[in-house]
Amino acid sequence: MDNNYYLNDPAATEMSDHRQGDPLFQKYFWTQQYSLRWGSCWETFESGFNRTYGDVIASIHGPRDFGIRPNRFMEGPNSDPDNPDFSVGDMMGFDVRAVTTTNPRTVCLCENQWGQPMPGVHVTLEKKGRLMGMHHGKSTATGHIKLFNVEAGDVIYATHQSGSHFGVCFKPVSPSLPKAGGAALKLELRAISGRFSMLSGIAFDASGNLMYRCEADPAFPAPPSIRVVDGVSPSENQALTQSAGTYSAVIGKTGFSEGSVFFTAKDSLGEAFFVSQNAFTKNTGELSGGYSHAGMHLELALTDSETTAEKLAVLASAFPAPAKGLPDSVRRVSDVIALNVHPEGSALKGLIQLHYFADSLEAEAPEAVQIHRWQNGWIPLTTGVDLVHNTVAATIEGPGIFAAFLDLTRSRVTGVFKGIDPKTPAGWMLHPNYPNPFNPSTRIRYDVPDRSHVKIEVFDMLGRKIRTMADYMHAAGSYTAAWDGRDDHAAAVPAGIYIVRIQTDQFMQSRKMILIR
């Protein structure tokens, strides 16, 4: 956090906790962290992430939680104050706990209509008809997610994007809620019919009132609506009006500063779907010291001397966006972030940092991930990349719409997700891969009932080994591997039929996979 101009600089993870009067304080006082934010890195980090969500508290473990007293020098990784290299992850911890309820944490399993587990599903809990903005994050690599304080009468909303497809699940919680340690509550996501894309944001009118706006391609078959939620009570449903290809409405929630916009529309078959979009509005003076929003996976640091905007409105959407200006080999790996200012035409300059999520893929080089800005098509920006912490940063010069994209030609499948299902599988099984046929990648799920050495290998139709996906000892559980259509030397293999095989001392099974190019 030292470097004001490049958030992904190695020195940017120094986490000092010194105070006035400490002999070493002067060294830290001159870092860009202090000159920009007038506080220690830990103070900034905690103020940005310590949050209360209804009955749930999310807190950060700082140095004092580990017995490091204020004004005391941190030994170890940060032992050289002239070359701070302290890693945030070495000392940071999250403690999320229910504080006013004895209800157990409920395990949910997110699946598609074919019973395949779905990682990366966004899940939100509505408490007995009162959407409180309780975002529970994303499902794990095995499709599981634990929900806090779930009761009969609550409603679970789940959404998931895969390429240009969007899936949703709306599930009221019945009195027969599974208890902790029992069977997982199933969330089956259905794919919405039709390939809609959307760009949405919160803007200001001339008087500074908040406006919700979105552009959809194609237009929705019926007018969509929004409900604005601030963690206390939701607004009434507001229908959006359409004019010149844009849907809009004045936001009816007075005094809105942070929460969600719950967007509802109908797909090409007339069935309702939804997406929960995180949003906030701030006076730019509140952002001058930097601002982090955990729910958006977003960090902003404005340049005060070059920013004339009085207010900033931000909205993050996981819904598919237009692909104009992008090659087919590029995939979006972050939410779409819309920034708008008041008064219109005022200057906005600073840094935007996004945390990206690529499921089982990882970039082979920093150049594979870039932030793009929408200007009637996606335009790449000069981007700083941290492949260790999956963050990207770029300078912004004015409001706009931004997102991070991954070049699939310069990425690879990381291999096996090491998530384990809560229940031990009853027997060995190599499940059909999904999707099949596939391009560019497919997931391979398999069950391991006992601790065993497991090989997962891919062969061509001549019996030649193409790729080793796994070759190590497994604990009992259900696993998912992903194959990106490349061999062990990272070379793309031609289209055709391939065989995936699981082999152990006790079991062997094969299945056909069809790769298309």
Side-chain angles (χ1 to χ4, degrees):
M1 297 172 73
D2 295 310
N3 196 327
N4 180 24
Y5 299 102
Y6 187 56
L7 293 182
N8 291 297
D9 186 273
T13 58
E14 178 266 309
M15 299 295 285
S16 61
D17 196 35
H18 296 280
R19 299 290 191 276
Q20 294 275 7
D22 180 32
L24 291 174
F25 175 79
Q26 192 65 24
K27 288 182 177 289
Y28 294 98
F29 181 79
W30 292 111
T31 64
Q32 291 180 3
Q33 157 68 20
Y34 268 93
S35 64
L36 177 67
R37 299 180 175 90
W38 292 99
S40 76
C41 294
W42 278 111
E43 290 171 330
T44 302
F45 192 68
E46 291 174 2
S47 66
F49 283 87
N50 275 349
R51 300 288 178 95
T52 300
Y53 303 89
D55 294 332
V56 179
I57 292 178
S59 60
I60 303 300
H61 295 307
R64 295 172 188 79
D65 298 316
F66 293 90
I68 300 175
R69 299 191 301 274
N71 297 331
R72 181 179 177 186
F73 181 64
M74 287 189 215
E75 298 290 342
N78 201 31
S79 60
D80 183 357
D82 292 317
N83 293 286
D85 60 356
F86 186 73
S87 169
V88 176
D90 290 340
M91 292 285 285
M92 182 183 72
F94 290 88
D95 177 26
V96 184
R97 59 190 176 88
V99 294
T100 62
T101 179
T102 58
N103 293 329
R105 299 175 68 183
T106 299
V107 177
C108 293
L109 174 60
C110 304
E111 296 181 331
N112 59 22
Q113 57 186 319
W114 298 282
Q116 298 285 343
M118 300 183 68
V121 175
H122 291 261
V123 179
T124 299
L125 181 68
E126 176 179 321
K127 294 297 296 175
K128 295 187 176 181
R130 194 166 59 92
L131 187 64
M132 298 175 59
M134 292 183 66
H135 299 281
H136 281 70
K138 295 184 177 183
S139 61
T140 66
T142 59
H144 289 89
I145 188 168
K146 289 184 177 180
L147 305 186
F148 290 93
N149 196 20
V150 181
E151 304 169 279
D154 294 347
V155 179
I156 302 171
Y157 296 94
T159 59
H160 181 264
Q161 181 185 359
S162 177
S164 60
H165 298 281
F166 196 74
V168 297
C169 178
F170 168 89
K171 190 175 185 70
V173 178
S174 68
S176 57
L177 178 70
K179 300 300 182 183
L185 182 66
K186 295 288 183 70
L187 302 179
E188 182 180 309
L189 280 79
R190 71 166 183 88
I192 68 169
S193 178
R195 294 198 175 190
F196 297 94
S197 66
M198 185 172 71
L199 293 173
S200 53
I202 292 178
F204 300 91
D205 64 15
S207 302
N209 299 313
L210 297 178
M211 300 278 298
Y212 181 87
R213 293 176 180 168
C214 74
E215 298 177 6
D217 183 23
F220 296 115
S225 64
I226 59 170
R227 184 166 46 142
V228 181
V229 182
D230 59 5
V232 179
S233 62
S235 68
E236 298 294 328
N237 279 329
Q238 295 179 252
L240 302 180
T241 59
Q242 185 181 18
S243 176
T246 299
Y247 297 96
S248 64
V250 175
I251 290 179
K253 185 75 174 178
T254 58
F256 175 79
S257 62
E258 186 167 343
S260 304
V261 177
F262 198 75
F263 178 94
T264 304
K266 291 187 176 181
D267 63 15
S268 59
L269 294 179
E271 295 189 40
F273 70 91
F274 54 87
V275 57
S276 181
Q277 303 171 322
N278 286 329
F280 72 84
T281 64
K282 298 284 183 183
N283 295 324
T284 52
E286 300 177 72
L287 307 174
S288 61
Y291 182 77
S292 299
H293 194 293
M296 291 186 184
H297 309 288
L298 165 73
E299 296 166 25
L300 288 172
L302 301 186
T303 306
D304 295 343
S305 60
E306 300 184 63
T307 296
T308 62
E310 297 175 7
K311 296 180 180 180
L312 178 68
V314 182
L315 182 135
S317 176
F319 196 81
K324 185 177 180 181
L326 297 172
D328 293 338
S329 60
V330 169
R331 176 186 298 177
R332 200 183 90 230
V333 289
S334 77
D335 287 348
V336 178
I337 306 294
L339 309 180
N340 283 298
V341 297
H342 178 75
E344 185 179 359
S346 53
L348 179 74
K349 187 167 184 178
L351 281 172
I352 183 172
Q353 178 168 282
L354 304 176
H355 294 251
Y356 66 88
F357 302 88
D359 293 332
S360 61
L361 297 174
E362 69 177 11
E364 294 179 331
E367 297 77 18
V369 193
Q370 276 189 296
I371 292 179
H372 289 58
R373 178 176 180 166
W374 178 261
Q375 293 177 291
N376 195 30
W378 291 106
I379 308 298
L381 303 179
T382 301
T383 304
V385 181
D386 181 350
L387 295 180
V388 176
H389 300 98
N390 284 12
T391 61
V392 287
T395 299
I396 56 173
E397 297 184 358
I401 298 176
F402 305 87
F405 293 87
L406 174 67
D407 184 349
L408 300 180
T409 66
R410 292 191 285 181
S411 62
R412 59 177 175 266
V413 174
T414 56
V416 176
F417 294 120
K418 296 184 180 179
I420 300 176
D421 284 343
K423 295 181 68 175
T424 301
W428 294 97
M429 175 62 71
L430 176 62
H431 297 271
N433 62 299
Y434 177 82
N436 194 30
F438 67 95
N439 179 27
S441 63
T442 187
R443 287 189 170 89
I444 304 160
R445 189 163 63 96
Y446 57 100
D447 296 338
V448 179
D450 304 299
R451 180 175 172 82
S452 307
H453 188 278
V454 178
K455 277 187 179 182
I456 304 292
E457 297 171 308
V458 177
F459 299 86
D460 64 15
M461 292 302 290
L462 297 178
R464 295 173 298 197
K465 189 179 75 171
I466 300 298
R467 180 77 171 267
T468 299
M469 305 299 299
D471 187 5
Y472 59 87
M473 188 66 69
H474 286 53
S478 293
Y479 293 81
T480 303
W483 185 43
D484 59 353
R486 296 176 181 269
D487 62 20
D488 282 329
H489 304 288
V493 301
I497 299 176
Y498 293 86
I499 305 297
V500 59
R501 184 180 73 185
I502 180 173
Q503 183 176 4
T504 73
D505 292 338
Q506 313 166 49
F507 177 80
M508 185 169 68
Q509 186 180 3
S510 301
R511 290 191 182 273
K512 289 183 180 180
M513 305 184 295
I514 302 174
L515 171 63
I516 57 177
R517 296 291 190 186

